[in-house]
Amino acid sequence: MRIALAGAGAFGEKHLDGLKKIDGVEVTSLVGRRLEPTRAVAEKYDIGHVATDLAESLARDDVDAVILCTPTQMHAAQAIQCLDAGKNVQVEIPLADSLADAEAVLAKQRETGLVAMVGHTRRFNPSHQYLHRKFAAGEAAVQQMDVQTYFFRRQNMNAKGEPRSWTDHLLWHHAAHTVDLFAWQAGPIIQANAIEGPLHPELGIAMDMSIQLKAESGALCTLSLSFNNDGPLGTFFRYICDTGTWIARYDDLVTGREEPVDLSGVAVSNNGIELQDREFVAAIREGREPNSSVAQVLPCYRVLDRLEQQLKA
C-alpha cells in the first residue's frame, strides 16, 4: 500500500508515526504548503517525493491512497480531487465545514466506489472502543455523556506552537468529534441545541460554545467547548451509564472513581491514530466500507448544520 500524505504539520506527523507501524505500507509522497519544512519532514521519515501541489502527487503511479491533514477549508475539495484521480482517501476531521460540501464528497464516493473515510478518531481510541463493545453486548447503556473540549487558542497557533495558515473552529471541527461519538455510542440524535459566546475580534470565531444533544434512546449529552481555557487541555468524556460510570481521556479509561481500566486486549495498539490508519488500509485491501466512512459520519454533519443555523438565527 503506497500512500501520499498531504499536510506535513503537527497532525500529519502523528499519522506518519502510525503508518510506520503497519506492515506493507509505505509513504511515497509528502505534500506541504512550504517546500523546505516539508522536505525536512520527508527526510525525517525517509519519504522519497516532496511537493507543494497535491495534483503532482495524485499524478504519480506509486500512490494508491491519500491521507489529507490539510486545513479544514480544503478538505472537501481535496477529497473530491483525490477520488476523481482514482485514489482512495482518508480525510482528517472534519470532512467539511458545510453540509453541502460534505454531501458532495459522499456523492463523489458513491460515483467512484472508492474508499473514502473521515478521521473521527474517537471511534478508534481503545477507551471508546471498550465501552462501545459493552453497549453493543447490552452490558451497559449510556444515560448521559458529559464532555469538555478545552484549548488555549487566543492566538492562531497549531499544536506545535507555530502560526497557523487557517482558522480552527469549535463547531465544525471540535464538536464533530463528540456529536459523532455520541451517536455511535447512544444512537441517532433527535434533538440538538447550541449557544455561543462572543466572537474573537481578529479570528472572527466563537471562543466558547455549549451544546446539548438528545439521542433516540433518551440519552443526553452536554458538551462544553472553549478556546479560552488556560488549564488542562484536551477533551474529557464522562460516560454516566446504568451500570457504571467511566471517564475517557483519549486512549486511556478510568472508572468514575478514577480506577484504571485495562485496555490491553481491546486492539493491537493503544494509539487511536494508528488504529484509524490501520482501518483505512484494511478497508482498501479487503474492498469494504471502513468504520467512519463518509456515509457513516454524514449524520454528524447534518446535526452540525442544524446547530449552525440555530447560531446564525
Side-chain angles (χ1 to χ4, degrees), residues 172-188:
W172 284 98
H173 178 187
H174 296 286
H177 278 294
T178 297
V179 170
D180 180 67
L181 177 67
F182 179 59
W184 191 59
Q185 300 286 44

Side-chain angles (χ1 to χ4, degrees), residues 244-265:
T245 294
W246 290 271
I247 302 167
R249 299 183 178 100
Y250 294 95
D251 294 311
D252 298 320
L253 185 69
V254 297
T255 68
R257 301 180 186 277
E258 294 288 340
E259 301 157 330
V261 176
D262 181 10
L263 302 175
S264 57

Side-chain angles (χ1 to χ4, degrees), residues 7 29 37 70 80 107 122 160 176 179 181 190 195 224 233 237 257 262 267 281 283 291:
S29 182
T70 50
I80 290 170
R122 302 297 158 258
K160 287 182 171 181
V179 170
L181 177 67
I190 60 170
I195 54 175
S224 171
L233 307 179
F237 302 83
R257 301 180 186 277
D262 181 10
V281 170
N291 181 13

Side-chain angles (χ1 to χ4, degrees), residues 10-11 36 43 51 73 82 91 107 114 129 134 154 156-157 228 256:
F11 222 82
E36 287 311 311
E43 289 175 0
Q73 294 81 0
C82 292
V91 193
L114 294 164
Q129 283 198 53
K134 271 191 175 297
R154 291 180 186 166
N156 204 19
M157 311 289 278
N228 274 320

Side-chain angles (χ1 to χ4, degrees), residues 3-14:
I3 293 177
L5 187 137
F11 222 82
E13 290 203 37
K14 291 185 179 183

